[in-house]
Amino acid sequence: MTEPRPSDLVKDDLPDVDLGDKPATGTAVPSVEEILEAMKDVVDPELMVNVVDLGLVYGAQIDDEANVTIDMTLTSPTCPLTDKIEYDTKYVLDGLANSVTINWVWLPPWTLEMITEDGREQLRAIGYNL
């Protein structure tokens, strides 16, 4: 007879977890709304407004395994802060998504009209005249 392992001696009252429709990794598949809400924590370092309210996020696709692809643009194709925005995006979606891919798109080109009213209020608060 083998001796019990230390972990066999631990008794807990934790309930069994039913993963239901969750992917095998255990991460629940987030909704597009949850992804966009989390993306509001990604702030454009130059304008100090989140990328959702700036209108930089064009869309998000989520597969059955919670892998997320975000269609995103920048205010300028020559933006020197692309790496920072990519890092922040992956950071805020950690735990919501198994993987994050940013699909940088340039059409349609970003314009001031894409900024939400919340984004406009944030820009006015820091001195922009919109």
Side-chain angles (χ1 to χ4, degrees):
M1 181 170 175
T2 63
E3 290 189 38
R5 299 176 304 182
S7 60
D8 293 335
L9 301 174
V10 176
K11 304 294 181 207
D12 60 40
D13 295 324
L14 297 175
D16 290 334
V17 177
D18 178 17
L19 294 178
D21 293 334
K22 295 180 184 177
T25 60
T27 301
V29 177
S31 67
V32 171
E33 292 78 20
E34 290 172 310
I35 295 297
L36 293 178
E37 188 61 34
M39 289 296 294
K40 288 183 178 181
D41 288 337
V42 178
V43 174
D44 181 286
E46 292 177 313
L47 297 174
M48 301 310 295
V49 175
N50 73 72
V51 295
V52 174
D53 286 327
L54 278 176
L56 299 177
V57 178
Y58 286 179
Q61 298 82 42
I62 306 147
D63 71 14
D64 292 338
E65 296 177 357
N67 299 306
V68 175
T69 301
I70 297 175
D71 293 332
M72 189 183 309
T73 195
L74 297 167
T75 57
S76 163
T78 60
C79 177
L81 299 167
T82 305
D83 291 343
K84 170 82 169 119
I85 292 172
E86 281 187 15
Y87 175 85
D88 290 350
T89 296
K90 291 178 180 183
Y91 181 82
V92 302
L93 296 179
D94 185 41
L96 275 179
N98 285 329
S99 70
V100 177
T101 302
I102 298 177
N103 179 34
W104 294 108
V105 294
W106 306 109
L107 294 173
W110 180 84
T111 64
L112 292 174
E113 288 76 33
M114 295 175 169
I115 303 172
T116 67
E117 191 54 42
D118 285 345
R120 291 174 186 280
E121 287 179 27
Q122 293 171 54
L123 286 168
R124 286 185 201 109
I126 58 173
Y128 286 91
N129 185 14
L130 295 174

